[in-house]
Amino acid sequence: MTVKFITLGCKTNFYESQAMGELFRKKGYEITEKGLADVYVVNTCAVTKTGAQKSRQQINRIKRKNPDATVVVVGCLVQTDRESLEKLGADVLVGSSGKNRVADLAAEALNGKKTVVVDDIMKVREFEELPLTSQQSRIRANVKIEDGCDNFCAYCIIPYARGPVRSRALSDIKKEVELLAQNGFLEVVLTGIHIGSYGKDLKDGTSLIDVIETVCSVEGIKRVRLGSIEPVVITDEFVERIRKLPNLCPQFHLSLQSGCTKTLERMRRRYTAKEYMEGVKKLRAKIKDVSITTDLMVGFPGETDEEFLESYEFCKKIGFMQMHIFKYSVREGTLAAKMEQIPESIKEERSKKMIALAEEMKREFYDSFKGRVIEVLAEQKTADGTYHATASNYMEVFVESDEDITGKIVKYKV
Ligand code: SF4
C-alpha cells in the first residue's frame, strides 16, 4: 500500500505530516511522492484564504485523478470549516487533535468505514504526542515543542483552529532530540504554534528557556535554532541564560507585524514598538553576530500613510537581516475582518516599498561580514557544483569545495 502526503501551510504542519508518515510506515505503507497512491493525506491550512482555497483544490484534484483512493483530510481547515470539506467527499476528516490516529482511521476507511474526528479544540488541554525520529533532510530537523495559541490577534484564525497552548513534556522533547542526534542530525529547530508561550499551561514555572537549555545539552546537537518568538520573551534573564549556550544559533525571528504601536494595538499584539526595540537591543548587547529576522504585515485595516511610514522607519532603524513581508488579507471569523479595509493597490504599493527596504538591509548585513571567516553548515550540493550552506546566524552562502562537505561544518571566508 502506498500513501502520499500533501501538506500546506506552516513548518508545524510539515513536521506533523512527517510524523504521521512514520505512523503509516509502521503499518507497512510505502510513502510515495510521485504517481498515484492508495491513500492520500491532505494536511490543510486555514491561516489565509489562499491556504484554504489551495487545500480544497488539492482534495478536488485527488478526487478527479484517482476517484478510488482513500482521502484523509486533517488539520486547521477541518477544524474551522468541517462542513465544506465533508461535501468534497473526504473519507476521513481529522481536525487539530487526533492526528496520531490517522493511520488506523485510514485502514478503517479502506474497509468502508468513514470517520470524522473534530473535537471541541477549546477544551483540549493535553499536548498530543506525535513523535518524529527520522526526517527528510538528514541535517536539520524540526522538533515540535508545543501546540496552540491564546493570543487571539485581531487578524488571526489560528487560536480557533489550534486551540489553547499545550506544552509538550520536557522529557519527551529531550527523548526525541536524543534520537535525532543518534540518527546523525546536527541541527534542530524548535517549532510550534506559539513557542514563546511554552510552559504557560504547565503552571510549574517551566518556560521556553528551560526547553532551550535542555535541547542544547543533548550530545551531538551542534546547533539549536528557535522558531518565531515575540519580543516579550527577550528578558534580561533570558539573555543571560542563552549567552551561556554556545550551540544556540544567534538568529532570532522576532515577529514584528508592524513598527507602529497604534497599528499593533489594533492588531491586538501584546507589545509596543518601543518594547520590540528594547528586546533587540538586549540581544545585540550580549550576543555576538546576532541576526534579527521578522514577519511584517502591510495594509492592516486602518493603517494610514503615517502609520505605514512609522512602521517603515522603525524597520530601517532595526536593520533586519531578513524580513517576510505579506499583505493583510481578510480572514472570516476574525475581528479584523469586520474592520474598514484598505484598497489592494495601496497594500501592493506598501509591500513593494517594504520589500525594497528589506533587500537593502539584507545586503548591508551581509556586507558587514565581508572578509571575515565564519563557520557554515553545508547542506546541499547545488546544480553549479557549489554547496549551499548556512551560518549559525542564518546567512546563506555558497561554498566551493573539491571534497563532499554535505553535512559538515566548514570555515568560509565571506
Ligand atoms: S500570536 Fe497572534 S498571529 Fe501568532 S498564532 Fe497567535 S493569534 Fe495568530
Side-chain angles (χ1 to χ4, degrees):
M1 296 293 280
T2 52
V3 58
K4 192 184 232 174
F5 280 83
I6 295 152
T7 307
L8 297 114
C10 60
K11 264 190 194 156
T12 307
N13 266 13
F14 280 87
Y15 172 94
E16 289 170 347
S17 284
Q18 290 187 51
M20 287 187 277
E22 281 195 7
L23 300 175
F24 277 94
R25 225 180 266 129
K26 276 186 196 145
K27 290 201 169 289
Y29 283 78
E30 187 192 320
I31 298 176
T32 175
E33 282 172 15
K34 288 188 190 123
L36 300 180
D38 300 302
V39 176
Y40 289 79
V41 179
V42 183
N43 195 355
T44 59
C45 174
V47 77
T48 60
K49 225 191 250 173
T50 322
Q53 243 165 24
K54 282 188 185 162
S55 303
R56 288 192 194 95
Q57 277 165 5
Q58 288 294 347
I59 303 164
N60 282 328
R61 197 169 295 157
I62 298 164
K63 285 274 165 198
R64 227 178 23 245
K65 277 193 174 171
N66 197 354
D68 296 331
T70 295
V71 183
V72 180
V73 185
V74 303
C76 293
L77 195 62
V78 180
Q79 192 65 46
T80 52
D81 193 7
R82 160 192 168 171
E83 285 81 12
S84 80
L85 298 178
E86 266 177 323
K87 282 183 204 141
L88 296 184
D91 298 290
V92 177
L93 286 171
V94 178
S96 292
S97 63
K99 288 175 191 151
N100 52 4
R101 294 170 54 201
V102 285
D104 292 332
L105 298 175
E108 287 175 12
L110 282 162
N111 291 321
K113 187 181 172 216
K114 298 191 175 195
T115 320
V116 177
V117 184
V118 181
D119 299 326
D120 179 353
I121 200 67
M122 292 304 172
K123 291 197 179 126
V124 176
R125 297 286 169 207
E126 292 286 312
F127 181 88
E128 184 176 283
E129 254 318 290
L130 196 61
L132 178 56
T133 51
S134 65
Q135 302 200 19
Q136 263 159 17
S137 140
R138 304 292 296 164
I139 295 164
R140 178 181 297 132
N142 289 312
V143 174
K144 186 177 164 190
I145 65 165
E146 70 84 44
D147 207 336
C149 176
D150 303 327
N151 274 10
F152 294 92
C153 296
Y155 51 83
C156 184
I157 196 82
I158 288 178
Y160 306 96
R162 288 275 179 171
V165 171
R166 280 104 66 207
S167 306
R168 189 176 186 185
L170 211 48
S171 53
D172 289 330
I173 298 173
K174 192 170 179 215
K175 222 186 318 168
E176 184 166 308
V177 177
E178 282 169 347
L179 267 173
L180 289 166
Q182 280 164 25
N183 289 340
F185 286 93
L186 296 180
E187 181 172 319
V188 295
V189 185
L190 305 184
T191 56
I193 299 301
H194 195 252
I195 63 168
S197 290
Y198 182 90
K200 202 176 151 189
D201 54 322
L202 301 175
K203 298 193 170 63
D204 62 358
T206 318
S207 69
L208 178 63
I209 184 64
D210 301 296
V211 182
I212 300 172
E213 286 173 343
T214 303
V215 173
C216 282
S217 71
V218 173
E219 218 185 300
I221 295 297
K222 300 270 185 268
R223 287 178 171 186
V224 177
R225 209 177 278 287
L226 301 184
S228 179
I229 53 173
E230 283 167 11
V232 285
V233 171
I234 316 296
T235 60
D236 289 328
E237 191 204 333
F238 181 86
V239 178
E240 273 317 307
R241 286 170 72 175
I242 58 167
R243 62 190 290 226
K244 296 185 188 121
L245 306 169
N247 52 350
L248 179 69
C249 291
Q251 179 229 339
F252 295 87
H253 190 85
L254 292 184
S255 180
L256 175 63
Q257 306 306 351
S258 170
C260 163
T261 298
K262 253 177 149 178
T263 317
L264 286 172
E265 272 169 16
R266 276 201 314 283
M267 288 177 168
R268 303 222 162 166
R269 300 289 288 174
R270 298 178 181 211
Y271 51 86
T272 61
K274 190 167 168 258
E275 282 163 346
Y276 189 98
M277 179 61 90
E278 278 160 11
V280 171
K281 280 187 182 157
K282 277 182 190 147
L283 287 170
R284 287 194 170 142
K286 301 278 168 81
I287 313 287
K288 192 172 172 255
D289 292 340
V290 66
S291 70
I292 312 291
T293 56
T294 201
D295 295 317
L296 188 108
M297 189 188 291
V298 293
F300 183 74
E303 187 187 59
T304 61
D305 286 343
E306 291 72 28
E307 287 183 7
F308 170 71
L309 200 65
E310 199 177 320
S311 186
Y312 180 89
E313 290 301 328
F314 183 81
C315 293
K316 210 171 178 180
K317 238 193 263 167
I318 296 277
F320 289 106
M321 194 268 264
Q322 197 164 291
M323 292 177 84
H324 175 219
I325 294 146
F326 56 103
K327 292 174 272 183
Y328 168 80
S329 72
V330 176
R331 201 70 197 95
E332 292 311 330
T334 62
L335 203 67
K338 295 185 206 115
M339 297 178 180
E340 206 184 323
Q341 305 297 319
I342 302 266
E344 276 308 311
S345 56
I346 295 183
K347 287 186 203 167
E348 187 60 39
E349 200 184 295
R350 290 178 186 171
S351 164
K352 277 191 186 146
K353 204 170 169 201
M354 215 40 121
I355 289 171
L357 173 66
E359 280 167 8
E360 212 178 285
M361 290 189 292
K362 184 173 188 172
R363 163 68 49 204
E364 266 172 39
F365 187 86
Y366 275 60
D367 279 352
S368 70
F369 280 81
K370 247 187 203 170
R372 277 185 53 190
V373 176
I374 56 172
E375 285 191 338
V376 294
L377 173 60
E379 298 187 17
Q380 217 177 3
K381 198 170 185 174
T382 63
D384 69 4
T386 58
Y387 288 84
H388 174 239
T390 49
S392 57
N393 66 3
Y394 220 45
M395 284 167 67
E396 291 175 89
V397 299
F398 292 90
V399 186
E400 284 174 13
S401 171
D402 293 334
E403 60 172 298
D404 185 0
I405 53 167
T406 317
K408 289 189 183 144
I409 292 179
V410 294
K411 292 213 186 306
Y412 173 79
K413 189 171 180 192
V414 182

